[in-house]
């Protein structure tokens, strides 16, 4: 039976800051008693915003108070803000028609005084109303109107949020092409104005699209990116949600070890956060792993009992449906079949109810719950931002008044002091001269700082562009899949650009040539060397048809020395270490040659090592002797492994020591019975856990190819 997907992107909103909000509210109300009408209206606006998360009726109460103050003082601006607050209130209580009416009133008043910020937020919130009503065309139209106003106000982060909102609307309509277009536009804006964690929801939505497309591998990629963003911004609830989704994704990929790893991470973090929603999901997903992939009935019941104990979540239909399916399937497989049929019948009825027309909106809200909460937080913050701008305008006015008074005082003081001017003229000249020198030095420092920042940005932009070029020339999946349907490439650069590179080519006579190289240095210098090596391999193998690995290394060394003008130079060590293989699939033989790199063959749970020559592809202090060719007879089921030294040289673990090659080999052998994609995931997790808080010391690259 097909698994009923249990995707939870929502998080329970914490009320930990409620007490602090109350103290702020009391202070604002105290200040409002003695304030003028304009300042009082601003205080009321902030009070309503602080109450919004817990008592939405306060938006209505203070909205009318702000309108009354606006009419009393003749302030069109505050009347518009009051109508905006009423729009928020009626949206919150579900009265969409009244909400639209007051948002339109707010827009009407904002146009009278060209108050673009209020108009922008009103259009944005109208988009939410139309989206809830299922009128997606109007929702998109309102969002675009808000985007235009935010762009004119130079608020790129607001524009990015709105483009993300539009993408969610297209996801609900299953228009994934349009959704991806708006998500990438949001991504490009956020990259320019990058704030740690700001890309989390963009990556989350891109992963959601790939989930709907049943592209689990790509889905996992985006979820990992979202995970890094949540971790960077210390959004632990977001981290728990992504852990849960990764557990589901690895179930789709039939990788139970990785799935249970993320289920346990979900449970562990959700307990610490007291987040019942993700904790429930973690328990239920773990039960499904032990039911469907790694049959352990006692663990299935353990996790189902733990999920059921979270009563406040278990009673909700959208959470109970997958629970009923799992417990039903458990009883059909291991328990009381009569109970199993009863549970499956309850599951079918409740699922049909959820999928009925009157509950379609509930399902839509479940799948995009995290976006709804994000939008609610945006609404709560809008009034605070509007009030902040009002405060800023008031502050400017006060500064102008104070400055005028101050200037008048200076004039009086200057008149009084003029009588003593002759006595102090010499001292003033000296002081002014010193002040000018200090100001000049300050300006020079600021100028130099701007130059450094500009140059740094240019350098980083260039490096990121170099990364795109390097990624484009690395051999793609289409070539590797022709070599073997089962393979993996673990590629973790230390810096933006990598000094490691991998390369492959399939000949017309059933031979495959593939290589893994570690160039001198990493980052930009290593990246240049990798591009050079890639180009020379294309010239030697693809164009000139050299397939003997030792001969390829000999000729590659000659080209490297010639290109870098190393001939006769003893202190230049630019070059690369490389392992290169030619697999003849007609007779299942493998030819191998290595420059400071080895070849490992995993066969029947044992590792066979073939050593390369202890010299690089480049200048060498010893005699430039030819590279050695190894000929190997392969067997079906063999696993070919090539690795650079970055993994083994990584510091970490207890005492921050090197991992060492023997530990890497043991880990690969111990997991060689798993599918290669599972091995890759475990290797990645092993590296991250070993490294811990230590800096990555070098580029990390491993290639593994299965002989089938």
């Amino acid at each position: 039976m097909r698994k009923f997907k249990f995707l939870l992107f929502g998080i329970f909103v914490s009320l930990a800051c409620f007490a602090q909000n109350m103290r702020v509210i009391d202070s604002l109300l105290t200040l409002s008693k003695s304030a003028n009408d304009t300042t009082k209206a601003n205080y009321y606006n902030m009070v309503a915003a602080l109450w919004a998360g817990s008592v939405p009726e306060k938006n209505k109460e203070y909205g009318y108070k702000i309108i009354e103050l606006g009419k009393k003082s003749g302030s069109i601006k505050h009347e518009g803000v009051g109508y905006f607050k009423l729009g928020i209130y009626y949206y919150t209580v579900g009265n969409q028609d009244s909400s639209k009416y007051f948002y339109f009133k707010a827009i009407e008043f904002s146009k009278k005084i060209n108050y673009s910020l209020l108009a922008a937020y009103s259009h944005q919130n109208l988009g939410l109303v139309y989206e809830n009503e299922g009128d997606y065309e109007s929702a998109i139209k309102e969002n675009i109107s808000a985007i235009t106003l935010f762009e004119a106000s130079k608020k790129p982060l607001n524009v990015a949020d709105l483009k993300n909102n539009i993408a969610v609307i297209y996801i609900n309509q299953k228009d994934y092409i349009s959704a991806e277009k708006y998500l990438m536009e949001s991504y490009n804006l956020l990259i320019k104005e990058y704030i740690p964690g700001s890309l989390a929801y963009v990556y989350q939505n891109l992963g959601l699209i790939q989930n709907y497309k049943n592209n689990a591998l790509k889905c996992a990629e985006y979820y990992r990116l979202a995970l890094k963003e949540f971790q960077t911004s210390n959004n632990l609830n977001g981290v728990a949600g992504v852990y849960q989704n990764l557990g589901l994704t690895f179930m789709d990929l039939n990788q139970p070890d990785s799935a249970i790893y993320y289920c346990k991470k979900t449970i562990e973090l959700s307990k610490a956060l007291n987040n019942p929603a993700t904790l429930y999901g973690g328990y239920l997903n773990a039960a499904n792993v032990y039911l469907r992939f790694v049959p352990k009935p006692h663990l299935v019941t353990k996790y189902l009992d733990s999920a059921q104990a979270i009563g406040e979540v278990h009673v909700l239909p959208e959470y109970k449906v997958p629970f009923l399916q799992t417990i039903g399937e458990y009883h059909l497989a291991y328990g009381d079949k009569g109970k199993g049929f009863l549970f499956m019948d309850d599951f079918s009825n409740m699922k049909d109810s959820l999928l009925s027309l009157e509950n379609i909106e509930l399902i839509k809200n479940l799948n995009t719950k995290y976006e709804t909460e994000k939008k609610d937080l945006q609404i709560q913050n809008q009034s605070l931002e509007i009030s902040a701008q009002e405060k800023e305008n008031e502050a400017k006015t006060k500064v102008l008044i104070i400055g005028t008074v101050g200037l008048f005082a200076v004039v009086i003081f200057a008149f009084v002091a003029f009588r003593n001017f002759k006595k102090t003229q010499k001292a003033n000249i000296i002081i002014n001269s010193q002040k000018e020198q200090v100001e000049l030095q300050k300006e020079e420092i600021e100028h130099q700082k701007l130059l450094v920042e500009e140059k740094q940005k240019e350098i980083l932009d260039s490096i990121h562009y170099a990364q795109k070029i390097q990624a484009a020339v690395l051999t793609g999946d289409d070539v590797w899949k022709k070599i073997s349907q089962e393979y993996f490439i673990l590629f973790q650069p230390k810096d933006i650009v990598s000094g490691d590179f991998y390369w492959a080519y399939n000949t017309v006579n059933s031979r495959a040539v593939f290589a893994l190289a570690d160039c001198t240095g990493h980052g930009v210098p290593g990246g240049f060397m990798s591009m050079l090596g890639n180009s020379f391999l294309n010239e030697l193998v693809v164009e000139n048809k050299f397939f003997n690995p030792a001969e390829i290394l000999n000729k590659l060394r000659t080209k490297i020395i010639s290109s870098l003008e190393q001939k006769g130079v003893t202190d230049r060590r630019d070059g690369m270490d490389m392992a290169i293989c030619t697999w003849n699939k007609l007779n299942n033989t493998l030819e191998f040659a290595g420059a400071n790199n080895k070849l490992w063959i995993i066969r029947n749970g044992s590792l066979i090592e073939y050593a390369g020559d202890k010299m690089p592809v480049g200048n060498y202090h010893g005699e430039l002797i030819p590279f050695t060719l190894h000929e190997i007879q392969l067997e079906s089921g063999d696993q070919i492994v090539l690795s650079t030294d970055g993994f083994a040289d990584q510091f970490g673990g207890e005492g921050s020591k090197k991992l060492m090659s023997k530990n890497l080999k043991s880990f690969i052998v111990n997991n060689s019975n798993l599918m290669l994609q599972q091995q890759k995931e475990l290797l990645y997790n092993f590296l991250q856990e070993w490294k811990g808080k230590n800096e990555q010391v070098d580029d990390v690259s491993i290639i593994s190819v299965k002989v089938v």
Side-chain angles (χ1 to χ4, degrees):
M1 179 180 293
R2 179 175 173 80
K3 176 74 179 131
F4 186 78
K5 287 241 177 180
F6 186 53
L7 289 169
L8 294 176
F9 294 94
I11 59 174
F12 275 29
V13 179
S14 171
L15 299 178
C17 61
F18 179 71
Q20 182 179 353
N21 280 0
M22 286 301 301
R23 289 194 292 272
V24 176
I25 289 168
D26 290 342
S27 298
L28 290 171
L29 291 176
T30 301
L31 291 170
S32 69
K33 292 177 182 178
S34 58
N36 59 40
D37 289 341
T38 298
T39 305
K40 185 179 291 188
N42 288 330
Y43 286 151
Y44 285 165
N45 188 19
M46 288 188 282
V47 167
L50 291 168
W51 272 114
S54 53
V55 187
E57 288 78 10
K58 293 293 182 179
N59 274 311
K60 181 180 180 182
E61 176 186 341
Y62 285 99
Y64 279 118
K65 286 184 178 181
I66 294 169
I67 292 171
E68 183 181 347
L69 286 170
K71 289 179 178 178
K72 179 181 174 182
S73 62
S75 172
I76 294 173
K77 178 184 295 184
H78 287 117
E79 283 191 73
V81 171
Y83 288 126
F84 178 76
K85 305 299 291 182
L86 293 175
I88 293 176
Y89 165 72
Y90 283 109
Y91 169 78
T92 307
V93 299
N95 188 336
Q96 310 298 343
D97 289 336
S98 295
S99 178
K100 284 190 287 188
Y101 170 79
F102 285 112
Y103 281 140
F104 280 124
K105 290 284 287 183
I107 292 170
E108 176 189 339
F109 275 71
S110 66
K111 286 181 178 177
K112 292 179 181 179
I113 54 172
N114 197 26
Y115 194 2
S116 59
L117 187 63
L118 178 61
Y121 281 129
S122 299
H123 281 295
Q124 178 178 349
N125 292 357
L126 273 170
L128 296 179
V129 177
Y130 283 123
E131 185 180 349
N132 286 341
E133 291 179 337
D135 185 352
Y136 295 131
E137 184 178 350
S138 297
I140 292 171
K141 179 181 176 183
E142 293 299 330
N143 276 287
I144 289 173
S145 296
I147 285 173
T148 302
L149 290 165
F150 280 130
E151 285 177 337
S153 301
K154 295 186 174 11
K155 289 187 172 289
L157 296 180
N158 296 76
V159 174
D161 276 338
L162 283 163
K163 288 182 181 289
N164 186 62
N165 292 350
I166 292 173
V168 172
I169 295 172
Y170 280 120
I171 290 173
N172 290 334
Q173 295 178 288
K174 295 181 169 49
D175 183 353
Y176 302 129
I177 294 175
S178 299
E180 285 180 297
K181 170 182 174 291
Y182 275 98
L183 285 172
M184 293 314 298
E185 289 178 4
S186 178
Y187 171 86
N188 291 331
L189 285 168
L190 292 171
I191 279 291
K192 291 179 182 176
E193 305 286 335
Y194 183 68
I195 298 171
S198 61
L199 291 169
Y201 292 104
V202 173
Y203 289 137
Q204 186 85 290
N205 279 328
L206 287 168
L208 182 61
I209 290 172
Q210 296 303 323
N211 175 73
Y212 288 145
K213 289 181 175 181
N214 293 318
N215 187 346
L217 278 173
K218 198 69 177 174
C219 179
E221 262 183 58
Y222 282 124
Y223 284 159
R224 283 201 191 96
L225 291 170
L227 178 61
K228 288 181 181 177
E229 285 291 297
F230 282 129
Q231 288 171 332
T232 300
S233 59
N234 201 32
N235 184 339
L236 296 182
N237 281 304
V239 170
V242 177
Y243 280 156
Q244 181 180 330
N245 296 333
L246 282 167
L248 287 166
T249 303
F250 282 109
M251 278 195 271
D252 289 340
L253 288 167
N254 292 318
Q255 296 182 22
D257 289 338
S258 297
I260 200 63
Y261 170 81
Y262 283 110
C263 288
K264 289 179 178 178
K265 296 285 279 187
T266 305
I267 293 167
E268 177 186 354
L269 183 56
S270 298
K271 283 181 178 178
L273 296 171
N274 193 24
N275 187 332
T278 51
L279 181 59
Y280 184 92
Y283 284 139
L284 190 55
N285 292 341
N288 276 295
V289 175
Y290 289 120
L291 175 65
R292 302 168 190 281
F293 300 97
V294 188
K296 291 185 179 180
H298 67 287
L299 290 179
V300 178
T301 56
K302 170 190 170 184
Y303 284 115
L304 286 176
D305 289 344
S306 296
Q308 193 170 14
I310 308 176
E312 69 268 39
V313 176
H314 184 69
V315 296
L316 300 174
E318 62 267 32
Y319 292 85
K320 196 168 184 178
V321 164
F323 176 89
L324 289 171
Q325 181 182 10
T326 304
I327 196 170
E329 291 180 2
Y330 163 76
H331 279 291
L332 290 174
Y334 302 106
D336 184 334
K337 292 193 184 300
K339 283 186 178 180
F341 285 120
L342 288 174
F343 280 124
M344 294 306 293
D345 188 51
D346 289 344
F347 158 70
S348 180
N349 292 335
M350 191 173 288
K351 184 182 74 169
D352 290 343
S353 175
L354 277 174
L355 295 176
S356 64
L357 288 176
E358 61 267 24
N359 285 293
I360 284 177
E361 191 67 22
L362 179 63
I363 291 293
K364 182 190 76 174
N365 289 340
L366 173 63
N367 285 340
T368 57
K369 188 176 178 183
Y370 76 99
E371 275 294 336
T372 303
E373 290 180 357
K374 179 168 175 279
K375 292 170 185 174
D376 288 344
L377 289 174
Q378 289 173 352
I379 289 176
Q380 185 177 344
N381 290 331
Q382 287 166 1
S383 297
L384 293 175
E385 185 169 347
I386 291 171
S387 293
Q389 189 173 73
E390 289 289 313
K391 280 288 188 184
E392 183 180 348
N393 292 338
E394 281 187 31
K396 289 178 180 177
T397 303
K398 289 178 181 178
V399 168
L400 183 61
I401 294 170
I402 292 169
T404 303
V405 172
L407 180 62
F408 182 68
V410 168
V411 170
I412 295 173
F413 176 77
F415 177 76
V416 173
F418 181 73
R419 291 172 298 176
N420 299 318
F421 175 72
K422 294 296 182 179
K423 297 179 182 179
T424 58
Q425 186 177 31
K426 185 176 180 180
N428 285 339
I429 291 172
I430 294 172
I431 291 170
N432 288 334
S433 175
Q434 292 173 340
K435 182 179 178 182
E436 287 176 4
Q437 290 176 13
V438 170
E439 290 295 327
L440 287 172
Q441 290 173 354
K442 182 180 177 182
E443 288 179 10
E444 179 63 22
I445 291 170
E446 289 293 328
H447 178 66
Q448 293 298 326
K449 180 183 175 185
L450 290 173
L451 286 176
V452 170
E453 289 175 349
E454 185 178 347
K455 290 298 179 184
Q456 184 181 30
K457 184 179 183 303
E458 290 176 1
I459 291 168
L460 283 175
D461 288 345
S462 298
I463 293 173
H464 280 292
Y465 189 69
Q467 179 194 33
K468 293 180 181 179
I469 296 172
Q470 186 180 52
V473 301
L474 291 173
T475 307
D477 288 342
D478 55 335
V479 176
W480 288 101
K481 284 179 181 177
K482 290 178 182 177
I483 295 174
S484 175
Q485 283 297 313
E486 193 172 356
Y487 73 94
F488 76 74
I489 299 172
L490 179 62
F491 188 64
Q492 294 286 122
K494 177 187 184 298
D495 300 312
I496 299 170
V497 180
S498 175
D500 286 4
F501 75 94
Y502 52 88
W503 180 92
Y505 174 68
N506 287 290
T507 72
V508 294
N509 57 352
S510 299
R511 281 191 288 188
V513 185
F514 51 95
L516 180 63
D518 180 359
C519 301
T520 303
H522 44 74
V524 174
F528 280 125
M529 286 300 300
S530 74
M531 299 293 288
L532 193 63
N534 195 297
S535 175
F536 284 153
L537 283 174
N538 283 327
E539 180 183 339
L540 291 169
V541 181
V542 181
E543 296 178 16
N544 295 319
K545 309 302 180 187
F546 291 108
F547 301 135
N548 181 300
E551 188 176 7
I552 294 170
L553 287 182
N554 291 332
K555 293 186 178 297
L556 182 60
R557 178 171 60 188
T558 301
K559 285 185 169 292
I560 292 289
I561 291 173
S562 174
S563 298
L564 299 180
E565 298 181 351
Q566 292 179 330
K567 191 171 183 180
V569 180
T570 59
D571 60 348
R572 291 278 295 279
R573 294 290 181 267
D574 298 325
M576 62 191 70
D577 298 336
M578 179 179 289
I580 185 164
C581 298
T582 298
W583 178 13
N584 188 333
K585 296 183 181 180
L586 295 177
N587 59 14
N588 214 22
T589 59
L590 185 75
E591 294 178 333
F592 160 73
N596 286 327
N597 272 8
K598 299 174 182 179
L599 164 71
W600 298 333
I601 301 290
I602 313 298
R603 179 178 296 165
N604 299 324
S606 298
L607 183 144
I608 306 168
E609 182 172 279
Y610 296 89
D613 295 298
K614 292 186 177 181
M615 54 185 178
V617 181
N619 196 21
Y620 179 55
H621 60 78
E623 182 184 355
L624 297 180
I625 61 176
F627 286 95
T628 306
L629 179 69
H630 299 267
E631 296 183 12
I632 305 159
Q633 182 63 51
L634 297 175
E635 297 179 10
S636 180
D638 283 353
Q639 182 178 338
I640 303 166
V641 181
L642 304 178
S643 175
T644 60
D645 58 8
F647 204 122
D649 287 347
Q650 179 60 49
F651 287 94
E654 187 175 350
S656 289
K657 57 189 176 183
K658 274 191 180 183
L659 177 69
M660 305 301 289
S661 179
K662 65 177 182 179
N663 294 320
L664 174 60
K665 289 190 284 188
S666 295
F667 188 86
I668 292 174
V669 171
N670 291 339
N671 292 283
S672 60
N673 60 317
L674 301 175
M675 299 290 288
L676 261 61
Q677 283 301 318
Q678 291 176 271
Q679 293 184 37
K680 176 183 177 181
E681 182 67 25
L682 291 174
L683 276 167
Y684 173 82
N685 292 336
F686 179 38
L687 177 64
Q688 300 308 312
E689 290 174 8
W690 175 264
K691 182 175 66 173
K693 295 182 179 180
N694 290 293
E695 183 181 355
Q696 185 172 326
V697 298
D698 197 0
D699 301 314
V700 173
S701 303
I702 298 178
I703 294 175
S704 184
V705 176
K706 193 72 171 282
V707 177
V708 293

